Amino acid sequence: MTSATDTTAHVDGEHHDDHHHIPKGLTRWLFTTNHKDIGTLYLWFAFIMFLVGGAMAMVIRAELFQPGLQIVEPNFFNQMTTVHGLIMVFGAVMPAFTGLANWLVPMMIGAPDMALPRMNNWSFWILPFAFLILLSSLFMEGGGPAFGWTFYAPLSTTYSGDSTALFVFSVHIMGISSIMGAINVIVTIFNMRAPGMTYMKMPLFVWTWLITAFLLIAVMPVLAAAVTMVLTDKFFGTSFFDAAGGGDPVLFQHIFWFFGHPEVYIMILPAFGIISQIVPTFSRKKLFGYASMVYATASIALLSFVVWAHHMFTTGMPVAAEMFFMIATMLISVPTGVKVFNWVATMWRGSLSFEIPMMFAIAFIVLFTIGGLSGLMLAITPVDFQYHDTYFVVAHFHYVLVTGAVFSIMAAVYYWLPKWTGKMFDITLAKWHFWCSLISVNVLFFPMHFVGLAGMPRRIPDYALQFADFNKWISVGGFAFGLSQLIFLALLIKACRHQGESVSDQVWDGAEGLEWEIPSPAPYHTFDTPPVVK
Amino acid sequence: MQDDNKNIEQMADQIQPSPTQPRQDVDHGKTVGKIMLLVVGMFCFAFALVPLYDVFCRITGINGKTNVEAAVYSAPEVDETRTITVDFITRTHSGMPWEFEAQTRKVDIHPGQMGEVTFYVRNPTGRDIIAQAVPSVTPGQASLYLNKTECFCFQHQPLKAGEEALMPMVFYIDPQLPENINFFTLQYTLYDITETAEDAVEVAMN
Ligand code: HEM
Ligand SMILES: [Cu+2]
């Protein structure tokens, strides 16, 4: 859909000599305002957080390997589930997408950098502090947060430890970072598109990120308000969520999920964008239904504001409200279905090839759809009374988040890594990484559907004996999935050392778009002179 | 290809005299300003949700909360064709040591008729405690038609160590109560609010 030429237009004038040497050492990374550097920082940070959060998941699965309490204290178990969730959501998935946006959005729309480079540096560098604070709270007396990533009141108010203040502080920093990142994306896309890059010519990754950025702007402040209310309820005697003082704990859930549901789409819309870039490349066809993809993304985003109470079916809402939220939730699967249909239609009669990014993309399409279907089951109010707070919900959101969001991020890294480094990554390692991840992730999450349907509750360190066999397999899958990511680590280290065969500018022979027309590896500065898009 | 390149260079000359600068014709500050308005707006909106939620629940009765101030008896006439059963349930919040009981567990009453129920409380501990009772009606819709002309839940309830008390609650049911509701439950939960209400105590206890 976009075709452009630039490549040779890197005729940098003599009036900005600082452009030709890249600063070295630690200060390069500390003070950088270059979108590619910041993108790299975000991506490495996300990957480290992925490993840290993953280590916590290993603790959880080790405890659940057998029934009974054996390895950790229940209170520590709760801290693990809580911090695992927080780290994966705010530390791994969201920063990874922001990193990809940093690298790709300017290159895809023909801009020289992000619109607000200095703010970009800040929005990254406050993140490590947020997570340092969160992680260090685990070592405080009384432990870190143990109330679940959803921090429901009164668990987070009346019944929480003093470290709640640190939790609130770190969530505030994460929120500010996300908002700054989102502002940067919006301003860049609004103001810095190359001549001729009209909205309806923008690559879908750019579109989905634009819409995601608006979701972030709309709901991160709500999260900030929610944690602030928790803070004042706990430490300053307010009663937002305290029935004795005239408040209402259910109100907490409304506010949280008003943020929370759009938040889950924040974690999947950029994934939709990535898949929409990759599938056409390896099908050697244009994306089927470009415009419908844009409209589907926008309608998913809008609908995501009116479905939040599907997380609250069991709080005793009136029947009319339950019906409304059930139907609104099911409506979301219509635009989601449109997307899946379009991807499949893009592949239909395409000249397919199965390079690593495509393998991850296809795995995404199949496995994300499984997650969507279990979501649809959960949306049915009467059955959610049985499924709510069981492992069925855990299975659902791990299919959409791990085999959805995380797989899409891996697909993206494999797809654009050669462009970033100029070298093809180690394909053998990548194949090992793909197949080990694919198999283990299903051993890990698929049986969770069954134990969930049979009634195993989530967030509990022990379980009834009849769930023992399944949990053993789930844990085995978990350890295998965790180990598989070390293959990825090895591959990434090799790639960053620029080992491997050099690649062409286009890298993949079906790839289209501005980022494939600049040299490989992508120069430190691109599109100083804007390309013209026709 | 050749043509394209020429094109680019021409365009570049026109649009971008200084290639390192972002495009000149746009003011990022303005865009940022607009977005910041949205950010601040959404933060305030989240706080606005608190009163909005209360109003919404009061109008629809969804939450089963009853009014917090005394109603004035204004029923036009007693509807003797209908008899409504009201159940009273009492509980104390965890950590609240009082004994708390409705002396009448259940009343059958016509809409429009006045009813009175007395609740017994005792503070068995050796310290003074202030309590707050929070009512809740199930099904929630019935709360819209339950009018209390007098209720202990309108005030804090202080009891000295070892003291006991009888607390009245006077109510009537609006004859407009929908046909499908013939039975509802009024539940009171007692909370220990001694810590947060310390200064209110002095007044109440003297
Ligand atoms: C077809 C689309 C979807 C539907 C119909 C759907 C429906 C639901 C429902 C009804 C629940 C509540 C279950 C319960 O707690 O009883 C739920 C939970 C959840 N969903 Fe989805 N969902 C969909 C897609 C997604 C996507 C795309 C994501 C994220 C990428 C996601 C992430 C989550 C998460 C994280 C939870 C659990 C939150 C928690 O309680 O910790 N869902 N979903
Ligand atoms: Cu949801």
Side-chain angles (χ1 to χ4, degrees), chain A residues 369-382:
Chain A
T369 305
I370 293 180
L373 287 176
S374 59
L376 216 49
M377 288 170 72
L378 290 166
I380 305 169
T381 310

Side-chain angles (χ1 to χ4, degrees), chain A residues 6 16 32 35 42 63 70 75 79 105 120 136 148 206 298 364 425 524:
Chain A
D6 169 74
H16 51 283
T32 182
H35 73 101
Y42 264 113
E63 176 59 51
Q70 34 253 327
N75 186 43
Q79 292 171 42
V105 167
N120 207 11
S136 62
V206 179
F364 171 98
F425 50 79
Y524 199 54

